[in-house]
Amino acid sequence: MMRYAHIVGWGCYLPNRLVTNDELSTMVDTTDEWIFQRTGIRTRHIAAAHETTATLAFEAAARALTVADLNPSQVELIIVATSTPEYMFPSTACKVQDYLGASRAGAFDLSAACSGFVYALQMASQSIATGAVRNAVVIGSETMSRVIDWSDRGTCVLFGDGAGAVVLKGSSVPGGVMATTLRSDGSGADLLSLPALYHNPVPIAGAEYSSNGHHKNIIDMDGRQVYRFATNVIASSIQDVLKKCELTADDIALIIPHQANTRIIEAAARKLKLPMEKFYMNVEHNGNTSAASIPLALCDAVSEGRLRPDDNIVFVGFGGGLTWAASIVKWDVTPPEISFVDHEWKRVRYIMARGRSRLRRWQRRVEANMVRSSGNNKEPGN
Ligand code: COA
C-alpha cells in the first residue's frame, strides 16, 4: 500500500515586477522604516496585467513537475489553495489542469486563506494515504495585488503576488507528510475578510464596509487582533502537531511558517522558547503572499541548502476564517540536477498542451454547429 505521501517536487514563480517600500511611500503616507520595523517587509512582487492566479500557479506547478520528473499526463489530482481565484467557477485548478495538459487529473480549489497550503497538503496526502490517488500537485497561488485597496496604508504595504507548488507521490516507505492539525474559528470571520461578490447582501457582523453599506471586493483587516490571534495559534498548532507525531522541537530541523510578518514569528518563537534560526523567513523579499507563502519559502529554503534528507520540517499556516494549521513532513529528497535542455524540452509539452486544448474547443464548436444545422437542436421543453 502506497500510504505515505512524499514531497518529490517543488517549484515556485514570482512575477518580475518588484515594488519597494520607497515606491509605496509615493502612493500612501508611509516610510520604508515604518514598514520594515513593523513587518520585516522590504519588497513584494506584483503580477503584470496579463498574469493571473492560474498562470502563476501553472508556472509553479510546471517547475515542480520537472523536479519530480513526473509527466503531466500521470498527474491524478490538482489542488489550488487560493483566496484570489479569477472565477468562482471554473476553478483555478481546472485552468491549471488545462495549461499543464494533465488529462487524467481531478482538480479543485481550496479556500482556507493563508492556511490554504497546509489544508491542501493534508487533503492531498490523505487522498494518497487512502489509495484514492497515487500522486497530487498541491499549489498555493495568489494575486493579492488585485484585492488590495492601494490607498489603505494599513493593508497595501503587507501583501504580494506569487505561487508555489509541491508534487506529492505515494510510497510504501515511511516518511513524507507525517501528521497534520487543522483548526478554525469562524467567530473571528470579521477580523480578516475578502468578499467574493461586489454586492454580497449579507455582511459579516463586525466587518467594516464602504459608506453605502456594500462590500467591496478588497481585503478588510483588524491588524492588531489578527496579530494577537496569529502569535497564539502558531505556538499552539506546532505543539499540537509535535504531540501527534510524538516528537519534540529538538527533533525539528526547520519550521517554515506562513510569511505574514517577522514580528509575529518572533513573538511565536519566544512563546515556544525557540531561537529564530529554527524558523525560515523570506517575508522581507516577498511580503505576505497568503496561500503561496509557505511553498515559496520552501523553495528558497531548498535552494539555500537549508534542508537535508531525513530532516523533519514543520509547515504552519494561519489566517482568515479564522483558520490555522500545521504539518510535520519528513524531507527525504535531494534536489536533482536539471539540465537546460531538459527544462526547455519540458516547456515544449506545455505549448503542445495548449494546442490540444484549443483544438478541443474548436472541435466542440464545430460539433455544436453541426447539431444546430441538422435541426437537432431541440431545447428542453420545446
Ligand atoms: N505606514 C505608516 N503608518 C501606518 C501604516 C503605514 N503603512 N499603517 C498604519 N499606520 C499607522 C496607523 O494609522 C496608526 O496611526 P495613529 O496612531 O496615528 O492612529 C499607527 O500607525 C499604529 O497603527 P496600528 O494599526 O495600531 O499599528 P500596529 O503596530 O498594529 O501595526 C500592522 C500594524 C498591520 C503591521 C500589525 O497590526 C500587524 O502586523 N498585524 C498583522 C497583520 C497580518 O499579518 N495580517 C495577515 C495575517 S495572515
Side-chain angles (χ1 to χ4, degrees):
M1 180 94 167
M2 311 282 241
R3 62 191 196 92
Y4 297 98
H6 292 249
I7 294 181
V8 294
W10 51 91
C12 58
Y13 178 80
L14 287 162
N16 280 334
R17 175 141 155 65
L18 204 60
V19 174
T20 62
N21 291 346
D22 284 337
E23 188 175 342
L24 285 179
S25 71
T26 65
M27 296 158 58
V28 288
D29 184 13
T30 190
T31 58
D32 174 48
E33 195 194 352
W34 193 97
I35 301 171
F36 186 67
Q37 211 180 48
R38 305 278 176 130
T39 68
I41 299 167
R42 289 257 193 230
T43 57
R44 71 285 292 144
H45 296 257
I46 301 295
H50 67 275
E51 291 178 312
T52 68
T53 299
T55 65
L56 267 51
F58 157 73
E59 291 293 345
R63 287 163 200 202
L65 286 170
T66 299
V67 172
D69 199 18
L70 190 70
N71 199 303
S73 63
Q74 295 171 288
V75 172
E76 297 186 6
L77 179 64
I78 300 169
I79 308 178
V80 177
T82 185
S83 300
T84 49
E86 288 158 80
Y87 300 94
M88 294 311 295
F89 62 87
S91 66
T92 306
C94 277
K95 299 199 114 200
V96 174
Q97 175 277 328
D98 186 44
Y99 297 158
L100 289 172
S103 48
R104 290 192 187 89
F108 69 96
D109 286 359
L110 184 147
S111 164
C114 304
S115 315
F117 179 77
V118 183
Y119 266 71
L121 196 70
Q122 167 73 342
M123 294 305 112
S125 69
Q126 287 304 302
S127 298
I128 288 172
T130 59
V133 297
R134 283 169 295 185
N135 61 55
V137 181
V138 178
I139 310 165
S141 182
E142 304 281 11
T143 43
M144 302 304 287
S145 61
R146 311 256 159 93
V147 294
I148 286 168
D149 176 355
W150 286 99
S151 64
D152 173 15
R153 66 177 183 175
T155 51
C156 78
V157 301
L158 303 176
F159 296 98
D161 300 338
V166 297
V167 176
L168 290 178
K169 204 169 172 188
S171 163
S172 53
V173 179
V177 183
M178 304 295 286
T180 301
T181 178
L182 303 181
R183 297 289 302 277
S184 63
D185 176 6
S187 73
D190 58 308
L191 302 184
L192 188 51
S193 60
L194 171 60
L197 301 171
Y198 193 81
H199 289 295
N200 187 334
V202 190
I204 298 172
E208 285 181 22
Y209 301 105
S210 59
S211 54
N212 64 8
H214 289 142
H215 297 228
K216 283 193 247 159
N217 45 347
I218 52 169
I219 286 180
D220 182 72
M221 181 180 76
D222 180 333
R224 290 220 156 168
Q225 293 247 44
V226 170
Y227 185 96
R228 203 168 311 133
F229 147 74
T231 52
N232 287 329
V233 299
I234 294 169
S236 67
S237 54
I238 291 176
Q239 279 161 343
D240 219 40
V241 81
L242 282 172
K243 210 159 151 198
K244 277 191 184 176
C245 257
E246 296 178 3
L247 295 175
T248 69
D250 289 340
D251 302 313
I252 302 300
L254 197 65
I255 298 169
I256 303 184
H258 165 48
Q259 307 284 310
N261 181 316
T262 307
R263 279 198 312 153
I264 289 178
I265 304 303
E266 283 169 351
R270 279 195 299 275
K271 264 188 202 248
L272 287 160
K273 299 192 173 56
L274 292 175
M276 267 308 275
E277 295 74 62
K278 203 109 188 176
F279 292 80
Y280 184 81
M281 295 300 295
N282 68 354
V283 71
E284 182 175 348
H285 311 294
N286 297 348
N288 179 345
T289 55
S290 192
S293 90
I294 292 175
L296 278 167
L298 172 70
C299 287
D300 281 356
V302 175
S303 58
E304 286 171 24
R306 295 283 300 270
L307 299 180
R308 284 175 301 273
D310 281 338
D311 275 354
N312 291 313
I313 57 176
V314 173
F315 297 133
V316 56
F318 51 89
L322 299 167
T323 55
W324 60 105
S327 229
I328 293 189
V329 174
K330 189 169 265 300
W331 187 256
D332 39 26
V333 270
T334 14
E337 294 286 333
I338 297 158
S339 73
F340 177 75
V341 176
D342 192 26
H343 185 265
E344 288 307 295
W345 165 238
K346 283 186 170 135
R347 301 290 305 184
V348 172
R349 65 186 177 196
Y350 298 122
I351 298 169
M352 286 161 64
R354 295 217 182 181
R356 281 197 303 273
S357 172
R358 239 178 244 139
L359 202 65
R360 269 198 304 278
R361 242 171 283 159
W362 177 80
Q363 204 177 347
R364 237 175 248 133
R365 226 171 290 146
V366 170
E367 279 168 10
N369 282 338
M370 278 167 60
V371 171
R372 218 169 288 144
S373 58
S374 71
N376 225 351
N377 61 338
K378 288 220 170 90
E379 296 293 331
N382 279 354

